[in-house]
Amino acid sequence: ARLAFAIERVEMKGKKIIVHEKDGTKVSGTHLLVATGRIPNSDILDVSKSAIKTNVKGYIEANEFMETSVPGIWALGDIAGKYLFKHSANLEAGYVIHNVLGSDEHQRAAVDYTAMPHAIFSNPQVAGVGMTEGELKEKNIDYLVGRYKYDGTGMGMAMLEKDGFVKFLADFDGKILGCHILGPEAAILLHEVLVPIKAGKSHVSDIANTIHIHP
């Protein structure tokens, strides 16, 4: 993997695609995927004609209840710019319904984003939750790292999976700080970590001491 790859040009040689970096290095392959990302459509919505505030990137600003700067107008999902996931939008929608239909402002509930996961449904799959090592180092948080490869398990060996792995990040008391998985069914396997984090204890023993089906 090459991060921050500054592309100078892309050329096609036969059936091979060659991507040239500005420093002279190059990467070749058979396919090229261009992911342009997402941008908010607040300009099309003409929110500038109202008192609805947007941030510098154009996302609509919403408070912890998902209400915008205009009372009675709510924003959720991608346009709110908090998490650009379908599952986060589903979560926010439930809170918005509760907060809109509630008769008393004091009964409003702030969105709880605890254990917000992400996944890339590529081959192999990539999934994760919590902080990365880079984020922990940036915040000067002490942590332990646990790594385990798929082929060190019965199922992994049966699948002939040589590249998959799980990476755990925890503090010295065993509290889960992050988990990152690369390999088959990573998005499903991650749920085993999401439940103890969401439940509140968030301890590695909740997973390690669970009896797992073998293989």
Side-chain angles (χ1 to χ4, degrees):
R2 291 290 302 275
L3 302 178
F5 195 91
I7 298 175
E8 183 178 64
R9 64 189 177 91
V10 178
E11 66 173 331
M12 192 85 180
K13 283 191 174 182
K15 294 184 178 181
K16 184 179 291 186
I17 298 171
I18 302 174
V19 181
H20 295 263
E21 190 177 14
K22 290 182 178 179
D23 67 2
T25 60
K26 55 188 178 181
V27 174
S28 63
T30 57
H31 294 76
L32 177 65
L33 172 65
V34 179
T36 57
R38 298 178 182 179
I39 58 174
N41 63 348
S42 52
D43 54 340
I44 299 174
L45 295 174
D46 273 344
V47 295
S48 59
K49 293 181 179 179
S50 69
I52 296 175
K53 294 180 179 179
T54 58
N55 62 23
V56 292
K57 293 184 177 180
Y59 293 104
I60 292 176
E61 293 186 355
N63 61 20
E64 68 272 27
F65 307 115
M66 306 310 297
E67 190 171 26
T68 69
S69 54
V70 178
I73 298 181
W74 309 74
L76 64 93
D78 289 0
I79 194 64
K82 297 181 185 296
Y83 290 95
L84 305 185
F85 304 135
K86 180 63 173 73
H87 47 274
S88 61
N90 291 344
L91 174 74
E92 292 166 350
Y95 278 89
V96 169
I97 292 171
H98 170 84
N99 293 333
V100 168
L101 298 181
S103 57
D104 188 348
E105 282 194 12
H106 298 294
Q107 293 180 340
R108 287 183 178 179
V111 182
D112 180 5
Y113 293 105
T114 301
M116 178 59 68
H118 62 83
I120 302 172
F121 293 92
S122 51
N123 184 13
Q125 288 187 10
V126 182
V129 65
M131 289 186 281
T132 64
E133 275 201 80
E135 291 170 337
L136 290 168
K137 289 176 180 177
E138 187 176 311
K139 295 182 179 181
N140 293 316
I141 298 175
D142 293 329
Y143 64 94
L144 296 169
V145 181
R147 295 184 181 88
Y148 211 88
K149 296 187 67 176
Y150 272 50
D151 63 6
T153 68
M155 179 62 78
M157 286 187 283
M159 296 170 64
L160 302 178
E161 175 56 41
K162 297 180 180 180
D163 300 316
F165 68 88
V166 177
K167 180 179 181 180
F168 251 96
L169 303 169
D171 67 14
F172 286 83
D173 292 321
K175 180 181 179 181
I176 301 170
L177 300 175
C179 179
H180 308 278
I181 306 173
L182 184 147
E185 309 299 345
I188 294 177
L189 290 173
L190 187 70
H191 286 81
E192 189 171 4
V193 185
L194 300 180
V195 173
I197 295 177
K198 190 68 175 182
K201 187 180 177 184
S202 190
H203 199 277
V204 292
S205 64
D206 296 326
I207 300 171
N209 293 338
T210 298
I211 300 173
H212 293 79
I213 296 171
H214 181 79

